[in-house]
Amino acid sequence: MVEKTVPGCNHAVEVACFQSVTTAGYSCPVPCTAPLPCGHICPGTCGGCREQSSDAAAKSSHQSCRKICMRPFGTCNHHCCRPCHDGTDCGLCVEQCEVRCPHSECAAVCSEGCVPCVETCEWACEHQGACAMPCAAPCSRLPCDERCAKLLPCGHRCPSLCGEACPVGLCKDCGMAPDARVDLLEMKTYAEIDVDLTPIVVLACGHFFTAETLDGLVGMNAAYVTDREGHFTALADVSGAFARMPQCPDCKRPVRQYATRRYNRIINRAVADESARRFLVTGQSELMALDGELDKLEEELAASHADILQSIKHIPEGRPGRLGPQFKNRYDSGQELRSKMSSFCKRSSDRYQPSHKLYEATVHALRRRASDDLCDGLAGLTLDSSPHLVERDRRVAVAGEMALLKLEFLTLEDMLGLMRAIRQVTLVQPPKWPGGSPLLRVKPFLESCASFISSCRAEALPKIAVEATLYHARMACMYQSCSSLDDADKAKAIGFVEDAKNNLEKASLLCEQPFQHAEKLKEAVEDTIRLLQREWYETVSAEEIAAIKEAMVTGRSGLATHSGHWYNCVNGHPFAIGECGMPMEQARCPECGAAIGGLNHQSVAGVTRAENMEN
């Protein structure tokens, strides 16, 4: 055997002396060391992954990863056990939830939010008293540093702390587990420590350490106030950002409250935050799928709008019955999506209720012990922490409600556009609309929208409040433009528009806050305010139409054309095309934003000649 260098990769390989490593058929057997998108190393060989092209340049074609993913999930302590999936998202954890307490065990899968236990906490001792909080809430009592006075079955004194479960099988006097490393500060074993000075704390995983060691690792200084000697004197505020679950320093498994009560103020806060994270991740994942369906529906309605307009134009006179089935087919997918969104909102609300139940149980516990000075001081801390959790959970339900409003807006916008076209044909009776007349559905939509906007403002959700305000204002404009309104409805329409103007002014102020896309939304708000300051085409007289025409032709911002032709956009708003009067470019209607113009003398779908503007 001799050592030869493979050309191209320059790897040194041992081969028989007569074997050539320069021929095209030779493949370098050295393992490939290239990292794959998933982060693992390619399982192939150098020669198998390198391909020689015609110009002698080497190209890499790596093999698929055959390992288990094992990436940690962001909302629990489990790892992805799927075969490696090339760096794509791992999805949601489907393992059994690990959260439990002395009263119950969570039966949900890990990616779902846990139902918090509201039974009374069992942490109590003769020195510090009993915790007054519900089991799943951050504890309201101070930790006890005294050694437990109870006796183990062997007859020796318990080596743990007062208030903790006595660890059977870890008697120091009996010489059990003497070599276990329990003091990570001085690196002492169990046999070397004095449990009278430093009692031990046993974790659910079976590892145990001195209380002094675990107190520092868990971060007790973030949950309690201590004096110069290190004694706990008061409760600290734990209502800050998301907390991380404390872990065993040896096996990295989570510290659970059912086995170790001393750290329940930290653990319960972490469990609540972990549940909130799971809720957000799961809810956002479902919302993304629903938003995708909503975008698809919007595209389908826009793409088929021209065809349905043609059907309306060519319907036999006085026979509206043919429109009913077409309308039903047109809005069936929207109805199915509405059912999905309603179900999501209901489930989001149901998931939110357990957190609210814990909040109410916490309030009740504080009121019950209002005479206790310690609880009086706690009231300003724990009550502040619960609303933070409720607000995070509430955002998911609010986003679902926002998606429902957008769906209803898209449906009504499309229906009102078709109503304008129907008024141009002669029908004995109006067609049947799925879900009832669009005009009758506008008022409930506007009222629901206004209520939703107020709720979003109250819950400090400015982005969603601004988006809902824009939908509210646009619908108010469309409703006011309907020529079939009677005097009472016209008065209501004016009121809706005035409400929309007031909401837009408030939305403009909200856009000063630094939320995502605030600048773009502010521009949209300003554009909508300008839109509301104009009169819609269907509400102006013939004289006013003539004045509008004159202003558009000769005014400062007019189209500067005395020739050409006038057209209406799909929503009935007039615009002019100069020169030959035939469309050669596309634009947007300045009133409603609908597509206008066209290409190569062909108008975009929905555009019609405005002959009354040329008379």
Side-chain angles (χ1 to χ4, degrees), residues 133-176:
M133 292 295 101
C135 182
C139 289
S140 63
R141 54 154 283 185
L142 298 177
C144 182
D145 291 331
E146 300 293 331
R147 181 182 175 183
C148 179
K150 297 178 181 178
L151 299 180
L152 299 177
C154 62
H156 296 122
R157 186 179 177 185
C158 173
S160 189
L161 287 166
C162 182
E164 296 295 319
C166 295
V168 178
L170 290 177
C171 177
K172 189 173 186 300
D173 295 326
C174 292
M176 297 178 177

Side-chain angles (χ1 to χ4, degrees), residues 104 114-119 136-137 275 351 353-359:
S104 62
C114 300
V115 177
C117 177
V118 295
E119 297 291 334
S275 181
R351 291 178 184 177
Q353 290 303 320
S355 297
H356 189 67
K357 184 178 180 181
L358 175 61
Y359 170 71

Side-chain angles (χ1 to χ4, degrees), residues 13-62:
V13 296
E14 287 190 353
V15 295
C17 61
F18 59 85
Q19 185 176 2
S20 173
V21 297
T22 60
T23 60
Y26 182 79
S27 178
C28 178
V30 176
C32 181
T33 58
L36 298 176
C38 61
H40 295 133
I41 301 301
C42 174
T45 61
C46 175
C49 294
R50 296 177 76 251
E51 298 177 354
Q52 203 74 17
S53 62
S54 58
D55 58 358
K59 297 186 298 182
S60 296
S61 178
H62 296 292

Side-chain angles (χ1 to χ4, degrees), residues 450 453 457 469 472 499-508:
I453 293 168
R457 290 192 197 123
T469 299
H472 178 273
D499 291 341
K501 290 179 180 178
N502 293 332
N503 285 329
L504 286 168
E505 294 295 336
K506 295 177 182 178
S508 181

